[in-house]
Amino acid sequence: AQTVTQSQPEMSVQEAETVTLSCTYDTSENNYYLFWYKQPPSRQMILVIRQEAYKQQNATENRFSVNFQKAAKSFSLKISDSQLGDTAMYFCAFMKYASGSRLTFGEGTQLTVNP
Amino acid sequence: GAVVSQHPSWVICKSGTSVKIECRSLDFQATTMFWYRQFPKQSLMLMATSNEGSKATYEQGVEKDKFLINHASLTLSTLTVTSAHPEDSSFYICSAGEGGRTGEAFFGQGTRLTVV
């Protein structure tokens, strides 16, 4: 079984600054995906960024980037130039290859961006 | 990206009644869909895997007779909360994927269930 751990229940950052959210996971699988999802107050799950485990290069999506350390089983999310609209709950998630898109989520980190 | 539509967005029902929640993949076929439950300020917990044309697979601790899942077509899965009680009040979310190519899951908007 897989486990995902987010050790920061809450974080805050000033607008325009950079913040990093932590995530570690445990698995015996070699092929998998890792994701960061954002859940704003509307509670709609929004995909922020995806990383395929076989790719060594860290994924980036505009202001969002990850630091994927496969050996350490670490997958942190960096948000640059934080905006008020980034305020949300952020979930780290694990997906095994060929699992039909079944996700295991971390506990979540509530990020607040302050003006 | 693909679209998953969940209905209703919110529902209030009386104790003892049943409530059905629908999850539809609008522009792709989904042989597998997933149902999650989320309590306030907590994470999403997988309840069950809905398999088109066969029985759902329930996670440990989830009562299959309480949470009935039907996946009769490649675009529709339903979750029925039977004989609802206040402790069943929660946020329920479905998801589906297009298959293993991208690995991405697409989520419905969620349903807030309140049992009074």
Side-chain angles (χ1 to χ4, degrees), chain B residues 35-111:
Chain B
W35 288 95
Y36 298 86
R37 184 173 182 176
Q38 185 181 30
F39 290 106
K41 298 186 185 294
Q42 293 190 21
S43 187
L44 283 74
M45 298 301 296
L46 181 66
M47 298 174 64
T49 302
S50 174
N51 304 301
E52 187 270 334
S54 65
K55 291 183 179 180
T57 304
Y58 291 83
E59 296 299 302
Q60 191 172 7
V62 177
E63 299 176 61
K64 60 181 68 176
D65 294 331
K66 158 70 77 175
F67 300 100
L68 298 180
I69 291 173
N70 183 275
H71 195 154
S73 78
L74 286 171
T75 59
L76 174 64
S77 174
T78 60
L79 168 68
T80 301
V81 183
T82 64
S83 186
H85 290 284
E87 56 266 31
D88 298 324
S89 298
S90 190
F91 192 69
Y92 295 88
I93 309 176
C94 70
S95 77
E98 295 179 288
R101 186 177 65 84
T102 65
E104 184 173 349
F106 302 97
F107 287 86
Q109 305 94 318
T111 298

Side-chain angles (χ1 to χ4, degrees), chain A residues 58-74:
Chain A
N58 289 325
T60 62
E61 287 289 341
N62 300 312
R63 298 184 294 108
F64 300 89
S65 61
V66 298
N67 183 1
F68 173 48
Q69 301 291 327
K70 190 173 184 179
K73 295 180 180 167
S74 171

Side-chain angles (χ1 to χ4, degrees), chain A:
Chain A
Q2 289 71 228
T3 60
V4 179
T5 302
Q6 295 177 247
S7 58
Q8 306 154 313
E10 298 180 353
M11 291 195 72
S12 62
V13 64
Q14 291 299 120
E15 198 174 5
E17 294 189 347
T18 296
V19 64
T20 298
L21 308 184
S22 301
C23 173
T24 58
Y25 60 96
D26 191 25
T27 184
S28 59
E29 301 289 332
N30 194 45
N31 297 318
Y32 51 88
Y33 300 99
L34 293 165
F35 303 86
W36 279 97
Y37 281 93
K38 167 184 177 180
Q39 189 180 42
S42 68
R43 302 189 82 170
Q44 174 70 56
M45 296 292 285
I46 300 168
L47 177 64
V48 175
I49 200 164
R50 180 182 70 209
Q51 176 79 42
E52 296 173 37
Y54 72 89
K55 291 186 176 179
Q56 293 186 343
Q57 186 173 6
N58 289 325
T60 62
E61 287 289 341
N62 300 312
R63 298 184 294 108
F64 300 89
S65 61
V66 298
N67 183 1
F68 173 48
Q69 301 291 327
K70 190 173 184 179
K73 295 180 180 167
S74 171
F75 184 61
S76 61
L77 173 70
K78 185 171 82 171
I79 306 174
S80 304
D81 186 24
S82 297
Q83 300 176 359
L84 297 178
D86 295 333
T87 293
M89 181 74 89
Y90 286 81
F91 292 102
C92 179
F94 174 100
M95 180 189 294
K96 192 169 64 171
Y97 266 24
S99 66
S101 302
R102 171 188 171 132
L103 289 160
T104 300
F105 288 92
E107 302 91 336
T109 297
Q110 175 63 49
L111 175 67
T112 301
V113 180
N114 299 308

